Amino acid sequence: MQCSVIVPLLNELEQLPELTAQLRELQASNSCEIILVDGGSSDNSVTFATAAGFRVIASERGRAAQMNAGAAAARGHWLLFLHADTRLPQGALSTIAAAAVQGAEWGRFDVRICGNSVWFPLIATMINWRSRLSGIATGDQAIFVRRALFERLGGYVRQPLMEDIELSRQLLKVARPFCLHQQITTSGRRWQKFGVLRTVLLMWRLRFDYWRGVPAASLAKRYE
């Protein structure tokens, strides 16, 4: 199995030293390709990533558009969408390969939130259980999917928010996600910046409103 790891970038220079160190280890395994997709960074993210030896392609700004561009350029049979502030666990690709052997069509990892809030373990547990029960995965959980299935569904819907929720909805029509217990580590920077309780309540309201049909463009204005 060859897996293409696709990482959308937008002014992620602070994250790149640690991110590229992990990606370099993955690349050395010869079982994946790495594609970084820049949406117009102005902080030398592209210069840093290119100097580190990675392939960087340009795209229209927006995670959905950037991840679709990365998928179009990918050659792997599997696509793994990784946020720049998320770190994969050891043996992540082997775990995905094992899931593929067991018949997985798509899936995600459990998440652990990195930061100094005592609430982060509880929030991560709630995210993981909600995802396991609902079958909905978020981008912070490192969604992986068979390339043929992703292409058949038309990729990510071009919208400014909830693109991961919408992709999960479409994928659920085909199969339940393969929920991996291995934990990816994602940054708690947004929770810390805006406040844990405020951020949790905002995300609940946004998801509820999306579920009842509020356009993603309207929700994105409240998320910024």
Side-chain angles (χ1 to χ4, degrees):
M1 181 201 74
Q2 185 180 11
C3 183
S4 297
V5 180
I6 298 165
V7 187
L9 299 179
L10 184 64
N11 296 328
E12 294 288 359
L13 185 60
E14 183 180 344
Q15 299 292 330
L16 282 176
E18 187 176 338
L19 173 66
T20 55
Q22 180 178 72
L23 294 178
R24 194 172 290 111
E25 292 180 6
L26 290 178
Q27 205 169 43
S29 70
N30 295 319
S31 60
C32 73
E33 67 173 346
I34 310 293
I35 303 175
L36 306 181
V37 189
D38 185 69
S41 295
S42 57
D43 67 347
N44 292 321
S45 290
V46 174
T47 300
F48 185 99
T50 303
F54 290 98
R55 178 186 181 190
V56 182
I57 65 174
S59 164
E60 175 188 344
R61 179 174 177 173
R63 272 185 174 153
Q66 289 171 241
M67 291 187 290
N68 283 342
R75 296 171 296 173
H77 299 302
W78 282 83
L79 306 175
L80 170 61
F81 298 99
L82 182 69
H83 288 182
D85 62 355
T86 300
R87 306 291 172 259
L88 294 168
Q90 287 292 323
L93 297 185
S94 297
T95 305
I96 294 174
V101 171
Q102 296 178 57
E105 293 292 332
W106 72 288
R108 86 322 178 256
F109 291 84
D110 275 353
V111 68
R112 182 178 74 86
I113 303 172
C114 179
N116 56 16
S117 173
V118 296
W119 293 104
F120 284 168
L122 176 60
I123 293 171
T125 298
M126 292 174 63
I127 290 172
N128 295 332
W129 275 107
R130 181 194 67 215
S131 175
R132 197 171 296 277
L133 292 172
S134 68
I136 299 295
T138 61
D140 286 337
Q141 292 175 292
I143 295 172
F144 57 90
V145 58
R146 290 185 187 272
R147 177 181 173 180
L149 174 57
F150 182 82
E151 292 177 344
R152 176 154 59 90
L153 295 177
Y156 282 96
V157 175
R158 298 283 291 273
Q159 57 189 45
L161 196 68
M162 303 293 178
E163 76 286 338
D164 47 2
I165 305 299
E166 191 58 41
L167 178 65
S168 294
R169 284 181 174 179
Q170 299 306 311
L171 290 169
L172 269 173
K173 296 177 182 179
V174 178
R176 296 281 299 181
F178 208 96
C179 299
L180 301 179
H181 288 286
Q182 275 187 300
Q183 292 182 336
I184 56 98
T185 302
T186 194
S187 171
R189 55 184 175 173
R190 183 175 182 87
W191 282 283
Q192 292 177 317
K193 179 178 179 180
F194 297 104
V196 173
L197 181 59
R198 178 184 174 189
T199 302
V200 169
L201 291 176
L202 174 63
M203 293 309 300
W204 282 354
R205 288 197 298 267
L206 291 177
R207 288 197 177 96
F208 175 73
D209 287 346
Y210 187 68
W211 173 77
R212 67 186 183 89
V214 177
S218 297
L219 300 179
K221 294 177 183 178
R222 291 159 52 189
Y223 184 71
E224 293 174 351

